[in-house]
Amino acid sequence: MPEFLTAALYKFVELPDFAELQAPLLACCESHGVKGTLLLAAEGINGTIAGPAKGVHAVLAFLRQDARLATLEHKEAWAAHMPFYRMKVRLKREIVTLGVPEVHPALMAGQYVKPEDWNRLLDDPKVVLVDTRNDYEVSIGTFQGAINPATRSFSELPGWVEREMAEGGRLAPVDGKKPKVAMFCTGGIRCEKSTAFLRAKGFDEVYHLEGGILKYLETVPEAQSYWQGECFVFDERVSVSHGLHAGHYTLCRSCRDPLSEEDRKSPLYELGVSCAHCHATTTEEQKAGYRERQRQVELAQARQQAHIGARQQDRS
């Protein structure tokens, strides 16, 4: 049976004193055996934590003691192994980096659409459906008919929007009217910010999937689903499928791209060292360093110890 509870959470809310929250929040997590990463900024909180169920719930209760976070929502999943190796509480300019300071999701986000109503929205042929995630995430799964902006980081999305708003673009006005746009992401945070950006650009009909792909996969039966493939997640599960069951992808420890079973059959794939995506971009010296790291990981596993060199990194 799974032993560790994972909780993904975020909330856009005014936190001008966010730096003062760092130390007590870290102390609370560590005292309850909880690990993961939480980001604090003036615009809110974002992150994923994992640990014993009692400890995770204690951290959530601690956060909700702050009246500004009383309505903080989270998503739960179970894991057989601890998906994180340490606890970090980081101070950031933004809890998800868009790079457009005038966008305020707490005030400007688009209209929420519940997972059970999402299919009905997508059935509208006038809706422009945009996947706001990064290219390596989209590569393993997305909604049918979704546009892939092919970004490597979320901060590239505003540039893509600007280009697509030009004449002939997929976000260009039709008969003088901007199109109806639906946006989605893993847990909801990026599409809240991206819909706020579109509203700042004059789009009136902007929608986003409440709770993100994860809530959709948890809520909508697979037989009725418009989702195709698996969903990339920023922890050691790497990907999940319908019902939030662990997926079939692993992670390249060099470039951090998700790898399918077919990817792992490539002659350029070497466990912990390289894959077909990155083999040509690293030097032999770097590969030697990765081989030593992998050797240390395997030694730690043989001793039944965790090795922090194997940790996942957030690239959003």
Side-chain angles (χ1 to χ4, degrees), residues 37-50:
T37 300
L38 291 172
L39 307 179
L40 292 170
E43 68 177 9
I45 184 171
N46 175 32
T48 304
I49 55 176

Side-chain angles (χ1 to χ4, degrees), residues 15-271:
L15 293 178
D17 57 340
F18 68 97
E20 299 172 17
L21 306 177
Q22 182 182 31
L25 178 54
L26 179 61
C28 178
C29 292
E30 291 180 337
S31 68
H32 289 94
V34 170
K35 299 177 182 180
T37 300
L38 291 172
L39 307 179
L40 292 170
E43 68 177 9
I45 184 171
N46 175 32
T48 304
I49 55 176
K54 186 176 180 180
V56 171
H57 288 146
V59 172
L60 294 171
F62 173 82
L63 287 169
R64 291 175 180 136
Q65 286 178 351
D66 188 318
R68 298 167 297 183
L69 299 174
T71 58
L72 176 70
E73 296 183 359
H74 72 281
K75 302 177 186 67
E76 294 187 355
W78 289 94
H81 306 283
M82 170 59 86
F84 303 106
Y85 294 95
R86 51 164 74 100
M87 185 65 223
K88 295 173 285 187
V89 180
R90 292 177 170 173
L91 305 180
K92 307 284 282 186
R93 290 185 179 180
E94 301 176 73
I95 57 174
V96 57
T97 303
L98 186 65
V100 185
E102 61 269 25
V103 170
H104 301 285
L107 305 174
M108 303 164 60
Q111 183 174 327
Y112 289 108
V113 178
K114 293 188 177 299
E116 54 269 31
D117 299 323
W118 185 246
N119 289 359
R120 191 178 307 116
L121 176 64
L122 301 196
D123 286 336
D124 184 346
K126 294 182 180 180
V127 167
V128 178
L129 179 62
V130 180
D131 193 330
T132 68
R133 300 172 304 149
N134 300 326
D135 197 40
Y136 60 88
E137 300 171 79
V138 181
S139 69
I140 70 171
T142 191
F143 283 106
Q144 60 189 54
I147 296 171
N148 175 13
T151 56
R152 289 296 295 180
S153 68
F154 187 53
S155 60
E156 294 179 6
L157 190 67
W160 177 85
V161 169
E162 295 282 1
R163 292 190 296 273
E164 293 296 326
M165 287 176 62
E167 185 176 355
R170 287 166 287 189
L171 297 177
V174 177
D175 297 327
K177 183 179 180 181
K178 289 183 171 64
K180 182 187 298 185
V181 181
M183 310 183 95
F184 63 93
C185 60
T186 306
I189 184 169
R190 281 178 278 185
C191 45
E192 276 205 47
K193 205 158 193 180
S194 54
T195 56
F197 177 71
L198 257 64
R199 290 196 63 202
K201 288 292 179 182
F203 287 79
D204 296 322
E205 294 184 275
V206 188
Y207 305 87
H208 57 97
L209 177 58
E210 185 173 355
I213 300 162
L214 296 179
K215 194 64 178 178
Y216 182 91
L217 294 178
E218 179 184 8
T219 305
V220 177
E222 186 172 0
Q224 301 170 19
S225 175
Y226 286 6
W227 179 261
Q228 299 174 327
E230 296 183 9
C231 178
F232 184 91
V233 290
F234 290 97
D235 59 49
E236 290 300 314
R237 294 173 298 173
V238 183
S239 68
V240 296
S241 58
H242 286 89
L244 301 185
H245 300 298
H248 300 92
Y249 285 80
T250 59
L251 200 70
C252 174
R253 297 296 172 180
S254 174
C255 66
R256 305 290 177 180
D257 275 4
L259 303 176
S260 67
E261 183 177 349
E262 192 64 26
D263 292 328
R264 296 192 293 273
K265 292 178 181 177
S266 167
L268 300 179
Y269 172 69
E270 184 178 348
L271 179 63

